[in-house]
Amino acid sequence: MAILYPFRGYRYNRQIVDNLELVVTQPYNRISPALQKEYCRRSPFNAVRVTRSLEKLDNPETDYPEAAKTLRSWIDQGILVQDAIPSVYAYNQQYNFEEESLLRRGFIALLDLQHSAAGILPHERVMADLKMDRLRLLRSTDCNEDVLFMIYTEDKLRVNRILDETASARRPEIEVKDELGVVHKLWAITDAKSIRRIQDAMVPEELFIADGQHRFEAALQYKRECEALRWKPAAAESFNGRMVACFNSAEGSITVLPTHRLICDLADFEPTAFLERAGKYFAVEPVPDAVDLWRKMAEGREVSHVFGFYAGKKFFLLRLKVKVDPLMHAHAEAYRHLDVSIMHTLVLGQLLGISESQLDRHSHVDFARDRDACVQSVDEGDYQAAFFLNPTSVEQLQRVASLGELLPQMSTDFHPKLLTGLLFMKMQITRV
């Protein structure tokens, strides 16, 4: 059950910040140190100064005092201004993928954590350090500076039709093109009747967390802490709500990319010996180059479990040739037939001996999205090998999550990302 409600978001004051492209950012976990500095260079009001403050460079376990100070000063100086009327915000993204132009339509609202949290379905294992980082920021700022990416599936597209009626006929109040060429548009829907129609349509829907599991769990933990202290919500915008963006996967515009695995610091790792061991489970096929590997992986996706392997300046296609069920007998069948599950259980675990606890600590495995960058990193000696995966589909994600299973870490990469800084939700809390 998805209980959502309108709120009074904070937005950049366009009389002070006239170019929003200088102040919005990619989500915090996509911001490298170099991009962090670039965002800071663009504007003294860039949202990175809150979501991934430079103080984290000096202290990775910072409690974010500077981020909180910055946010307070922006509100006090009128750089961020709160909307006068509670709204649900229509949010569209226009982007290109594989030479096709796509439009993703959704909306931003507050998710009722008191009555809806138990029904929200995660899909990935959480890394404890990332959750704690977001919790420390939340404790310091009392703010949602970004949105969680939620998906649901409703074939009649009722909410999308309401969004079209109330928003698409007028100019967006915010329109921004990000550095990846994605156009983001935002409209405030203030009509109470339209908001109620959206709320009623969403009540029976199951929400799946696409991006933001760490931030969702941090929000739940912060809510528990506030309640333990007997603090009370002082407005609709408080610790019992979380700012989320909801998109309907039935519209067909949810793009999922794979996340690849890079191996490092394994004692006595030798590519030839690994491939010999892998031959027990996989048909190993040498491939002349990266382009051919990407093509064979795409072709093989529909008929088998296939993976790419790169080490020693050589490419290989690994095609599973054994039944996988006995290797993951404790899991549901839908989980056992995911590429990422096979990768973690069979390749990383059984063949390379990397334990779940080591994965949780980021030991021996890093995660990356760019295939060519993975190849370059191995060539430069930063990593011993790279494993390439095909993407997990939305349907696979929902099927596994509905069974109560959690996918391995970094199983999905939803594209494009939702921008940070379009809206802020500052909590009002009565502290006793």
Side-chain angles (χ1 to χ4, degrees), residues 127-346:
M127 296 181 178
D129 58 338
L130 295 182
K131 172 185 171 180
M132 183 53 63
D133 177 73
R134 293 299 91 183
L135 180 58
R136 287 193 288 261
L137 179 65
L138 192 54
R139 288 168 176 164
S140 182
T141 62
D142 288 337
C143 181
N144 297 162
E145 81 291 351
D146 60 6
V147 289
L148 305 191
F149 188 164
M150 301 285 191
I151 57 175
Y152 65 101
T153 303
E154 195 274 303
D155 293 333
K156 294 182 179 179
L157 304 179
R158 290 180 294 172
V159 170
N160 287 45
R161 290 201 302 272
I162 299 168
L163 297 175
D164 284 344
E165 294 168 8
T166 55
S168 61
R170 53 190 173 96
R171 292 173 60 86
E173 293 160 48
I174 292 176
E175 182 170 346
V176 178
K177 179 182 285 189
D178 68 23
E179 57 263 55
L180 302 178
V182 180
V183 177
H184 305 256
K185 298 180 181 181
L186 201 75
W187 298 259
I189 300 172
T190 59
D191 175 65
K193 183 177 180 181
S194 298
I195 291 173
R196 173 54 62 186
R197 290 171 63 202
I198 293 171
Q199 290 176 296
D200 290 345
M202 290 300 300
V203 167
E205 300 302 328
E206 280 188 319
L207 288 180
F208 297 80
I209 301 175
D211 271 342
Q213 179 66 26
H214 299 91
R215 289 166 281 167
F216 178 69
E217 294 205 8
L220 293 179
Q221 177 62 31
Y222 189 56
K223 174 180 174 293
R224 290 191 289 267
E225 292 177 2
C226 291
E227 291 172 340
L229 293 167
R230 300 187 183 277
W231 294 352
K232 303 293 183 183
E237 304 81 25
S238 198
F239 58 79
N240 55 353
R242 209 326 171 164
M243 190 165 64
V244 300
C246 301
F247 296 90
N248 189 349
S249 65
E251 192 176 37
S253 57
I254 305 293
T255 301
V256 187
L257 306 178
T259 301
H260 312 293
R261 274 62 179 159
L262 290 158
I263 307 302
C264 61
D265 302 325
L266 282 178
D268 303 320
F269 175 81
E270 204 283 316
T272 302
F274 164 76
L275 290 171
E276 289 178 358
R277 295 195 305 274
K280 178 180 178 181
Y281 305 100
F282 296 93
V284 178
E285 176 187 347
V287 178
D289 54 39
V291 173
D292 201 41
L293 180 60
W294 311 150
R295 179 181 60 80
K296 287 180 177 292
M297 287 181 64
E299 291 173 349
R301 179 183 180 187
E302 300 301 323
V303 296
S304 181
H305 299 287
V306 295
F307 305 90
F309 174 70
Y310 180 74
K313 296 189 180 298
K314 295 180 180 179
F315 295 92
F316 298 86
L317 182 75
L318 308 181
R319 189 185 307 274
L320 191 71
K321 64 181 183 180
V322 300
K323 186 176 176 63
V324 300
D325 295 32
L327 302 174
M328 294 177 277
H329 62 274
H331 295 280
E333 182 178 1
Y335 179 96
R336 297 196 298 265
H337 289 277
L338 291 174
D339 285 355
V340 289
S341 304
I342 296 167
M343 171 58 60
H344 276 240
T345 302
L346 178 54

